Amino acid sequence: MWIQTIDPLGSLPLSALVAALPILVFLLCMVVLKLTGIVSAVIALAVEVVVALAVFGMPLGSIAGSAGYGLLTAIWPIAYIIVMAVWLYRISVASGRFDIIRASISAVSPDQRIQVLLISFAFGAFLEGAAGFGVPIAICAALLVQLGFQPVRAAMISLVANAAAGAYGAIGVPVIVGAQVTGMDVLDLSRALVIVLQPLTLLIPFLLVMILDGVRGLRETWPATLVVTLVFSGVQAGVLWFLGPELADLGAGLAALVAIFLLSRVWRPKRIFREGGAEIPEVERHSAREVIVAWSPFYILTGTILLWSIPAVKALFAEGALAATTISVPIQGLTNAITTASGALVETTWSLAILGATGTAILLAVLITVATTPQISIGGALTELRATIGELGKAIILIALILMLANIANYSGGSTAMGSALAAAGPVFPLIAPIIGWIGVFLTGSVVNNNTLFAPLQVATAEGIGAAPAQLVGANTAGGTTAKVISPQSIAIAAGAVGLSGRESEIMRASILYSLGMLAVICVWTLVLTLL
């Protein structure tokens, strides 16, 4: 039994700095040296192994177990979800339905500024609420490329837009988990997030337009941008305040989609913006029935995801008649082999949920789509699956490497060392609290995992400095959503979706300032709230 320590060097700031070396090395390789994501991750993983072994004293068996757990998690459920989602998208393209979807969006407006609000912001939030786990980033980035956006720009915009919805993805799981691990009421945390995160959410549509066309773009599209942000934020805040996080993204995304459509009936920008001055494509006209049928794969996807999210269905897979399809696998060197610095025994196991996985819900949507789409055969669908796996291979390898690094950092005590060092800031801790969430999501790629790791630390610190626990857990969640913009997992998913696997550094360089800028806004706003 190995006992974790978070201060092996006898100086918490120094221990935390050493623990942060793999992250710093990864960023250096990606942003400065412009290495590929996989090469950068391999180098950072090697540094993490050395830090865990030589500094934190983690046994080789536990390092191997932590890395193995990360690898298995990357395969199932993460790669399973991503492959199924992109497969569904490719089937939609191969069947010709995606051409109709693209035409229906162009018919709303050929202006790419409006298309970004419609797709990356509104539709992306809807998909985030239904599925999460990178699904909206993959689908929206690919859709923007189909509409004529440059691949790097499409990926970066979809990543930035996701910051408005990432806190409530997959039916509000990040908030629900944050409440569970801290023992607070879900509604209290939801309301705290309205106060902490909603001001930034209000600004994101304006930021997206400015990314594309600067201040002139805002002047020319302010009616649409204002309507979208007020409708989206109003519905999201209302749902969070009165109902909780489960429908925050679904309701807000759907309301924003309807708002853009209705506004387009009475208003259009005087100047049509296209990247690089490209010509306005001729808009194909389709009947309402054709459009509804073309969008059906995504209706089906939403329906299956919602079905899998119903508590009774979850219970069926967890402890009901289908419980045998969920297999819990202990990890040698990790499960019951590590005691954390707080004295808790690590009981983590890898869960192979064959039927209960979100990927299976997406697979069901794929099967229904193929069965109801005469334009594509079973053989054609399998061809698209092979192409999907080949296209996403590098992205999945990068995700696996990062999860291996993240798990070694978490179970060696390195992640806790970084969080604890920041927590020692005392009265100015609220300024730093979102940074802890940013680190958590950058490491794990998941707001859920971030809250699992650091929400209890935020509560303990809040009690020590006299701040509101829900507010700091909200700051942890909000900071985490800004990290999703440059999380290696998110970058890998976006790169794979737009055909830039191996060129992740380009997307990272295009996105990093937006991530840090939004993080700075959350940090300052959290501090202001604690002083009020």
Side-chain angles (χ1 to χ4, degrees):
M1 179 70 65
W2 177 67
I3 301 176
Q4 187 186 86
T5 177
I6 64 172
D7 185 16
L9 300 177
S11 169
L12 188 56
L14 182 59
S15 296
L17 181 61
V18 172
L21 280 177
I23 301 174
L24 298 174
V25 167
F26 183 82
L27 288 173
L28 176 67
C29 290
M30 288 279 284
V31 178
V32 179
L33 301 180
K34 301 180 183 179
L35 301 178
T36 66
I38 290 177
V39 172
S40 300
V42 168
I43 294 171
L45 178 59
V47 173
E48 180 60 55
V49 170
V50 172
V51 169
L53 181 66
V55 179
F56 285 85
M58 192 178 195
L60 276 173
S62 293
I63 292 175
S66 299
Y69 178 56
L71 176 61
L72 291 172
T73 303
I75 296 170
W76 195 287
I78 295 175
Y80 184 32
I81 291 170
I82 297 167
V83 169
M84 291 298 104
V86 175
W87 186 25
L88 179 66
Y89 159 74
R90 290 184 66 98
I91 286 172
S92 178
V93 173
S95 67
R97 288 183 172 181
F98 209 80
D99 292 332
I100 300 175
I101 292 174
R102 185 172 65 246
S104 71
I105 293 172
S106 297
V108 172
S109 176
D111 191 299
Q112 289 184 325
R113 298 165 299 189
I114 306 301
Q115 290 174 350
V116 161
L117 296 176
L118 180 71
I119 298 168
S120 292
F121 188 72
F123 185 51
F126 182 80
L127 289 175
E128 180 70 32
F133 295 101
V135 170
I137 293 170
I139 290 177
C140 292
L143 181 51
L144 289 184
V145 170
Q146 289 284 324
L147 289 170
F149 285 73
Q150 297 175 359
V152 172
R153 181 69 65 91
M156 180 265 286
I157 284 174
S158 296
L159 288 162
V160 171
N162 189 249
Y168 319 109
I171 322 296
V173 169
V175 180
I176 294 171
V177 168
Q180 287 176 342
V181 299
T182 58
M184 69 177 60
D185 184 75
V186 173
L187 199 57
D188 288 343
L189 181 54
S190 296
R191 290 173 175 174
L193 274 161
V194 172
I195 298 170
V196 172
L197 186 53
Q198 218 60 39
L200 176 63
T201 301
L202 279 164
L203 296 175
I204 288 177
F206 298 97
L207 175 61
L208 294 173
V209 171
M210 288 190 68
I211 289 172
L212 276 178
D213 196 27
V215 175
R216 181 178 65 166
L218 280 182
R219 287 200 305 266
E220 294 177 350
T221 64
W222 69 264
T225 310
L226 186 62
V227 166
V228 166
T229 195
L230 290 179
V231 169
F232 183 92
S233 295
V235 171
Q236 191 177 66
V239 170
L240 286 167
W241 196 270
F242 295 106
L243 301 176
E246 289 85 354
L247 299 176
D249 282 345
L250 287 171
L254 180 61
L257 284 168
V258 172
I260 296 171
F261 174 76
L262 293 177
L263 181 66
S264 70
R265 313 288 288 187
V266 297
W267 175 88
R268 289 178 181 268
K270 292 181 180 179
R271 179 180 69 95
I272 302 301
F273 172 81
R274 305 287 299 179
E275 275 194 308
E279 293 184 5
I280 300 173
E282 183 178 345
V283 178
E284 301 175 23
R285 299 294 176 182
H286 297 277
S287 68
R289 182 182 180 281
E290 288 176 320
V291 172
I292 291 171
V293 170
W295 279 91
S296 63
F298 300 103
Y299 309 149
I300 296 168
L301 170 66
T302 302
T304 56
I305 293 291
L306 286 174
L307 177 63
W308 254 243
S309 301
I310 296 173
V313 175
K314 285 184 176 182
L316 190 66
F317 297 131
E319 54 196 29
L322 299 176
T325 64
T326 299
I327 305 168
S328 184
V329 181
I331 307 298
Q332 188 173 358
L334 178 63
T335 308
N336 297 325
I338 298 175
T339 300
T340 67
S342 63
L345 181 65
V346 172
E347 299 178 347
T348 302
T349 58
W350 177 56
S351 179
L352 179 60
I354 298 171
L355 294 183
T358 302
T360 303
I362 305 174
L363 173 60
L364 178 59
V366 170
L367 296 177
I368 295 172
T369 297
V370 172
T372 56
T373 306
Q375 294 89 346
I376 191 163
S377 64
I378 294 176
L382 292 175
T383 298
E384 293 302 322
L385 176 60
R386 287 192 293 270
T388 299
I389 295 172
E391 178 183 282
L392 294 177
K394 290 181 179 178
I396 292 169
I397 291 171
L398 176 56
I399 290 169
L401 289 168
I402 292 300
L403 277 178
M404 291 164 73
L405 184 156
N407 277 288
I408 295 171
N410 294 340
Y411 293 113
S412 69
S415 297
T416 306
M418 288 184 280
S420 299
L422 291 171
V428 298
F429 176 77
L431 183 68
I432 301 172
I435 298 175
I436 295 177
W438 191 95
I439 292 172
V441 172
F442 184 86
L443 278 173
T444 66
S446 165
V447 184
V448 175
N449 291 342
N450 164 53
N451 275 349
T452 303
L453 284 171
F454 292 131
L457 173 67
Q458 298 279 5
V459 170
T461 308
E463 293 170 348
I465 65 174
Q471 184 173 294
L472 292 192
V473 175
N476 189 74
T477 307
T481 63
T482 67
K484 286 194 74 176
V485 177
I486 60 164
S487 162
Q489 288 187 49
S490 299
I491 294 283
I493 291 167
V498 300
L500 292 180
S501 291
R503 296 170 59 187
E504 293 84 3
S505 61
E506 295 178 39
I507 301 173
M508 174 76 80
R509 292 196 301 274
S511 308
I512 190 167
L513 291 180
Y514 297 109
S515 174
L516 295 176
M518 290 189 289
L519 175 62
V521 170
I522 294 294
C523 288
V524 173
W525 179 236
T526 302
L527 180 61
V528 169
L529 288 173
T530 61
L531 297 176
L532 293 178

